[in-house]
Amino acid sequence: MTRSTAAIILAAGKSTRMVTDLPKVLHEVCGRPMLAYVLDACRGAGIKRLIVVVGYRKEDVIAAFQGEPGVSFVDQAEQKGTGHAVMVCRDALADFEGDVVVIAGDMPLVRSETLELLLDTHQSRTSAVTLATAVLPDPTGYGRIIRDKYGNLEGIVEESDCTPAQREIREVNPSYYCFDKRLLFEALDQVRPDNVKGEYYLTDALHILVGRGHRALAITAVPPEDAMGINSREHLAEVGRVMQNRIQRRLMASGVTIVDPPNTWIDVRAEIGRDTVIHPFSYIHGRVRIGRRCSVGPFAYLRDGTVLADDVVVGVFTELKNSTLGSGTRARHLSYIGDAEIGERVNIGAGTLFANFDGQRIHRATVGSDTYVGQGAIIVAPIEVSASAQIGHGTVVKKGHGEAREKG
Ligand code: UD1
Ligand code: MG
C-alpha cells in the first residue's frame, strides 16, 4: 500500500428481514459477531483506521467493539442510504488524506487478499474509484455492473432500477469500493435521492466521478461465495456453513483430523494441535484450546475455557466447560466437567459429574495427577483432590469428608 488508507464499514441498517432485536452485525457466525470478520479483513489488508457507521441500536455495536485498535464509530441517526452513510463520516475523516475503502458490515466472508488486490489496483493505476465485483449464477438482489463494449466500467444499476436486459447481467456489486477520499466527498455533495427507494446511493458517487471523466475501474476479484451478504436468518446459516468449512479446512491443513466435517462444528476461536482427531458430532464452542494427539468425541461438547493438554481423550457424551485437563488424562464416557483443574494421567470414570454450582455460586475443583476417579462419582466443588487419590465407584466426594476418606 503506497497511500494511507482508511475504511468505512457500513453497519447502521436495521435489517428488517432478520426479524431481530439485536443489531444485525452482532449476530454470530461461528462464534464471533459478523462485523468482527470484516474488521479483521480490513486490518489484514493493512488498513489501520476503521470507521464503523452505526445507527440501529448503536450502543450495542459500540459496546461490542469499543477499544479495539483503530476502530471508531460514526452515528448515522437516520438511515437514508449507503451514500448518506458515507457522507456522515466527513468530519471523522477531516484530517485524513488518501484512499477510503467502503465496505458493508454484513459480509463476513470478505478476505483481506481481495481488499489488498482492490487497493493495489486502485493505487497502482491512480484510479479515482475502484470496485471489486463478483460474477454470480444468480444475481438477484444485487446492483448490476454496467460496462461498455470495451469492458470499461460505466456504472452500477440497482435491481429496482434495472431494465429487463440489465437484470440479466450476472456481474454484480458486492459493495467493495476504494475511493480517492477528496473526490469521494466532492461527488457525494452532488448525490440526490432521486431513485425508486428515495435513498442517497453510494453508487451514484461513482456515476458522478465517471461522468466527470475520472478513472473508474472494476476488477472481477470477489469469489462468488464471498459476495454473500447476510439479510436473513437463512443467509446467516448459509454464511455460517461456508465459514465453518473454512475453519475446518484451515485446521486440517495444520494437521488436525476431522473425521466427518459436515457433522462437526468448531468455533473460529478454537485452537487445535496437530494429530488430534475430532470424531463426528462434536461441538466445540468458544475459546477452546486442544493440544496434540488428543481424541475428541464422538458426541463431545467442549465449551468456552476448555483447555486440553497433549494426549487427552474426551469421549462420548462428555461436556467440558472452563476446565483444564492435563496430558494423558482420559474422560471417555458420559461426564460433566465444569470449572475443574485436572492434573496429568487422571482417569475420569464413566458418568462422573463435577457438581460446580450450589444454586448461588460456581465453585472450582482441582484433581491432582494420577488420580483414579471411579465410575459415577460426584465431585462436589469447592474441593481439592490430592494427587494419586483413589475414588471408588459412586462416591460423593465432599470437602472434609471426601478428603479424609481418600487419604485413608
Ligand atoms: C447495496 C448496493 C448494491 C449492492 C448491495 C450488496 C447501493 C445503492 N447499493 O444495496 O449495489 O449490490 O448493497 O452489496 O449502495 N447501510 C447503512 N446506512 C444506510 C443504508 C445502508 O449503514 O443508510 C448499510 C446496511 O446496514 C448494509 C449496507 O449498508 O450493511 C448495504 O445496505 P443495503 O440497504 O443492504 O443496500 P442494498 O440495497 O442491498
Ligand atoms: Mg443489502
Side-chain angles (χ1 to χ4, degrees), residues 124-341:
S124 64
R125 299 192 50 196
T126 51
S127 184
V129 52
T130 309
L131 302 177
T133 68
V135 176
L136 303 183
D138 176 11
T140 308
Y142 291 86
R144 308 296 203 277
I145 303 296
I146 312 296
R147 294 181 185 264
D148 68 16
K149 60 180 176 184
Y150 305 106
N152 298 315
L153 177 65
E154 286 189 323
I156 302 167
V157 183
E158 291 310 295
E159 185 164 79
S160 47
D161 299 310
C162 273
T163 64
Q166 288 170 332
R167 238 171 242 266
E168 298 301 310
I169 297 172
R170 294 195 300 118
E171 187 179 11
V172 302
N173 171 29
S175 297
Y176 291 41
Y177 310 85
C178 185
F179 287 94
D180 173 286
K181 182 240 167 171
R182 190 179 51 81
L183 295 175
L184 167 64
F185 285 98
E186 274 177 29
L188 282 171
D189 284 338
Q190 311 299 315
V191 173
R192 298 286 167 264
D194 49 6
N195 46 59
V196 174
K197 287 195 188 165
E199 291 186 352
Y200 292 87
Y201 284 172
L202 179 59
T203 45
D204 284 349
L206 178 139
H207 299 145
I208 289 162
L209 293 175
V210 171
R212 291 184 184 164
H214 290 288
R215 178 170 294 166
L217 301 171
I219 50 168
T220 316
V222 181
E225 157 188 298
D226 299 19
M228 233 190 285
I230 298 175
N231 297 304
S232 65
R233 305 276 177 166
E234 226 177 288
H235 294 156
L236 184 65
E238 276 173 45
V239 167
R241 191 70 251 168
V242 173
M243 192 68 84
Q244 186 55 221
N245 288 340
R246 287 188 189 177
I247 293 165
Q248 294 191 11
R249 281 204 303 268
R250 163 170 59 78
L251 289 168
M252 290 190 274
S254 72
V256 176
T257 294
I258 300 171
V259 175
D260 187 5
N263 292 304
T264 302
W265 194 96
I266 304 174
D267 195 296
V268 67
R269 295 165 295 176
E271 294 167 33
I272 308 181
R274 62 197 284 171
D275 293 317
T276 282
V277 179
I278 310 293
H279 294 279
F281 303 102
S282 294
Y283 183 57
I284 299 173
H285 184 262
R287 277 173 221 82
V288 170
R289 278 193 353 250
I290 301 174
R292 295 182 171 206
R293 298 176 302 278
C294 294
S295 175
V296 173
F299 298 99
Y301 180 24
L302 308 190
R303 294 165 53 196
D304 203 32
T306 296
V307 178
L308 308 183
D310 297 337
D311 304 295
V312 170
V313 180
V314 172
V316 66
F317 297 120
T318 293
E319 173 179 349
L320 275 97
K321 182 209 85 176
N322 201 20
S323 293
T324 300
L325 269 53
S327 65
T329 286
R330 302 167 309 277
R332 289 187 190 274
H333 333 268
L334 303 160
S335 288
Y336 171 64
I337 303 173
D339 303 282
E341 184 90 35

Side-chain angles (χ1 to χ4, degrees), residues 6 10 19 37 39 54 83 100 155 163 165 172 181 196 203 205 241 260 279 324 357-358 364 382 390 393-394:
L10 307 182
V19 193
Y37 294 92
L39 294 173
V54 290
V100 177
T163 64
V172 302
K181 182 240 167 171
V196 174
T203 45
R241 191 70 251 168
D260 187 5
H279 294 279
T324 300
F357 184 54
D358 62 10
R364 284 196 75 80
Q390 296 283 321
H393 304 313

Side-chain angles (χ1 to χ4, degrees), residues 65-101:
F65 290 92
Q66 194 141 41
E68 284 204 8
V71 175
S72 60
F73 303 90
V74 168
D75 180 17
Q76 186 194 19
E78 237 188 298
Q79 283 92 61
K80 300 187 205 166
T82 50
H84 182 256
V86 175
M87 281 179 209
V88 297
C89 297
R90 189 188 297 269
D91 290 347
L93 285 169
D95 64 338
F96 175 83
E97 269 177 64
D99 294 315
V100 177
V101 166

